[in-house]
Amino acid sequence: MLSPSPTPSHAPSYATVLRTRHASRTFGAALLGRLSYGMISLSLMLAVKDATGSYSVARAVMALFGATSVFLSPARAALIDRYGPRRALPPMAIAYALLLSVLAHGTWQPGASGVRLGALAVTAGACTPPLGPVMRTLWKGLVPDREHLQRAYSLDGVAEELLFVTGPLLVGLLVKFAEPAAGVAVSAALVLVGTSALVTSPAVRGTGVRPPRTKPLSAAPSGKRLLGVAALRHAVAAGVGLCLGALDLLVVAFTDRQDQDAAAAWVLAALSAGSAVGGLTYGAVAWRASSRLRLTALAAALGLSLLAAGLSPNLYVLVGMVAVAGLFVAPALTTAYLIADESVDTNSRTQAGAWVNTAVNAGSSGGTAVVGPLLGHMPLAACFALAAAPVLLCAAFTVDWTGELVRTWRDALLGRVVGGRRCDRADGVQWVGGRRRGRYLR
């Protein structure tokens, strides 16, 4: 496990993280491969629609692709944990790229069979390489301590957010000069090249992802505590996903009622911008509050921001409130990944991160499925409140707020005492004369 360092004279910067040996090369390779995921949804939707002439078939194919990709992600991550990325990632990437290439070929001309395209989409989704969870696992081996890891996770989350904004823009540019199926082919090439560059990185060759199994620490948290922490991170991650999935529809409905349909893109861009600013700011702060308290506080802030957005009297206020809500999205997911990393042993890190991904994506699909049918039957403000309810409930029922706040302030002002001696850090590491003297797990 990572050992927090003594309180530094200044917090490590994002540049420090990227200057870490092999970090830029490894991160760049992972981002190149993950750009494929930012492009594939829109590319495949447009390609299938052109090939079959039916939006219904295109939506069904996309649903099948997304379901197998999301819900089988933990199983693929378990293979990474068991065999390491150098052995497990290349077969997945080759199979995924090959199947996308077949899909691109099948959708290049009109008249394709929807059933055949659906079967190919299911198979391709099942092979999707978990590049995001693998990169987050590699960060822990690349950076020296938890403060650097928090910044690395924040940077990773913001970069991923930007990929899912950039990807559709690239697809829109590409379809001006080529068939939509070309976007599917480009997605296949990106994931193959990115994965190849990732597995040949010295960070993967030298350290791998799965170290030898170690004996559990005598002071390890109880199974009951770990179960509670896992439930918290999954509940909040799913709640954030539900908020985001519902918000896409709610923004479209709001702008439609304002007769400004084109403005929906600007509102969602404000969400992404807010998330990027929030993620970078969050990662730069050396927090003393526990991860559990931070996660629930961020969930509460996100939910309250959505409630306020539902009361927006006009488009300009909506843009501002959605940007405020975005400030808490990337920090909440970063904290969920940090908690996932803390609550498992070294042999399950990739799988733990994949479960957070699955919770977010499942929540997003659920938010779309639940809120969509209600838009014509409930006031828009009530739909915003419904989207905010899951994260607010998580914040209300998963933390003893008073106890957590008292402990946080006590740790910040007085330090902790471990074995009769003062511990000057809230994370439980005792530093005496600049040297690490002991550790306990809360």
Side-chain angles (χ1 to χ4, degrees), residues 67-112:
T68 53
S69 179
V70 169
F71 291 108
L72 291 180
S73 177
R76 296 190 298 270
L79 294 175
I80 302 294
D81 284 326
R82 179 167 185 174
Y83 298 106
R86 295 193 70 195
R87 294 175 61 187
L89 273 180
M92 294 182 196
I94 292 171
Y96 180 75
L98 180 61
L99 289 164
L100 287 187
S101 299
V102 175
L103 273 169
H105 181 268
T107 56
W108 205 279
Q109 299 293 334

Side-chain angles (χ1 to χ4, degrees), residues 6-26:
T7 305
S9 58
H10 60 277
S13 66
Y14 288 105
T16 302
V17 171
L18 291 175
R19 284 197 298 266
T20 302
R21 189 182 183 195
H22 307 312
S24 295
R25 172 180 172 176
T26 308

Side-chain angles (χ1 to χ4, degrees), residues 27-316:
F27 187 39
L31 289 181
L32 182 64
R34 291 154 76 181
L35 178 58
S36 168
Y37 307 148
M39 296 181 63
I40 187 59
S41 295
L42 182 58
S43 296
L44 188 57
M45 172 74 78
L46 295 176
V48 174
K49 183 265 174 185
D50 277 8
T52 63
S54 170
Y55 274 113
S56 297
V57 173
R59 284 195 296 268
V61 170
M62 278 306 305
L64 292 171
F65 175 80
T68 53
S69 179
V70 169
F71 291 108
L72 291 180
S73 177
R76 296 190 298 270
L79 294 175
I80 302 294
D81 284 326
R82 179 167 185 174
Y83 298 106
R86 295 193 70 195
R87 294 175 61 187
L89 273 180
M92 294 182 196
I94 292 171
Y96 180 75
L98 180 61
L99 289 164
L100 287 187
S101 299
V102 175
L103 273 169
H105 181 268
T107 56
W108 205 279
Q109 299 293 334
S113 165
V115 174
R116 179 171 175 268
L117 295 179
L120 287 170
V122 166
T123 312
C127 299
T128 309
L131 298 180
V134 168
M135 186 62 232
R136 280 183 285 271
T137 303
L138 288 171
W139 274 124
K140 188 159 186 175
L142 285 167
V143 297
D145 57 34
R146 181 150 294 279
E147 288 187 349
H148 285 81
L149 184 64
Q150 176 181 300
R151 284 153 184 76
Y153 278 10
S154 296
L155 183 64
D156 191 279
V158 170
E160 188 170 58
E161 178 83 22
L162 294 177
L163 289 181
F164 280 91
V165 174
T166 305
L169 296 177
L170 293 177
V171 173
L173 182 63
L174 185 62
V175 296
K176 291 181 179 291
F177 305 99
E179 296 293 328
V184 180
V186 170
S187 298
L190 285 171
V191 79
L192 191 59
V193 173
T195 303
S196 300
L198 179 65
V199 297
T200 56
S201 167
V204 178
R205 291 202 310 265
T207 62
V209 168
R210 181 180 182 179
R213 183 174 293 275
T214 57
K215 294 181 180 180
L217 295 174
S218 58
S222 66
K224 183 178 180 180
R225 177 184 179 277
L226 288 182
L227 182 61
V229 171
L232 171 65
R233 72 170 186 259
H234 293 150
V236 173
V240 172
L242 191 150
C243 290
L244 297 178
L247 187 59
D248 286 347
L249 293 179
L250 293 172
V251 165
V252 171
F254 189 100
T255 54
D256 179 65
R257 295 182 186 185
Q258 298 281 325
D259 293 324
Q260 297 182 10
D261 294 347
W266 291 102
V267 179
L268 296 177
L271 177 72
S272 297
S275 181
V277 171
L280 292 174
T281 303
Y282 177 83
V285 175
W287 299 97
R288 282 192 174 274
S290 70
S291 299
R292 184 184 177 96
L293 178 58
R294 297 202 307 271
L295 183 59
T296 49
L298 290 165
L302 175 60
L304 292 174
S305 299
L306 281 183
L307 283 176
L311 301 176
S312 300
N314 55 56
L315 183 63
Y316 300 104

Side-chain angles (χ1 to χ4, degrees), residues 337-412:
Y337 287 122
L338 287 169
I339 291 176
D341 182 77
E342 294 168 354
S343 59
V344 298
D345 63 25
T346 55
N347 299 285
S348 306
R349 290 173 183 161
T350 309
Q351 192 174 2
W355 274 112
V356 175
N357 275 1
T358 298
V360 173
N361 291 316
S364 179
S365 299
T368 303
V370 170
V371 173
L374 298 178
L375 282 174
H377 305 283
M378 292 177 61
L380 199 56
C383 292
F384 271 92
L386 181 64
V391 287
L392 290 175
L393 289 174
C394 287
F397 293 111
T398 57
V399 159
D400 174 9
W401 284 89
T402 303
E404 286 278 350
L405 289 172
V406 168
R407 285 191 292 272
T408 298
W409 281 105
R410 181 196 65 194
D411 295 343

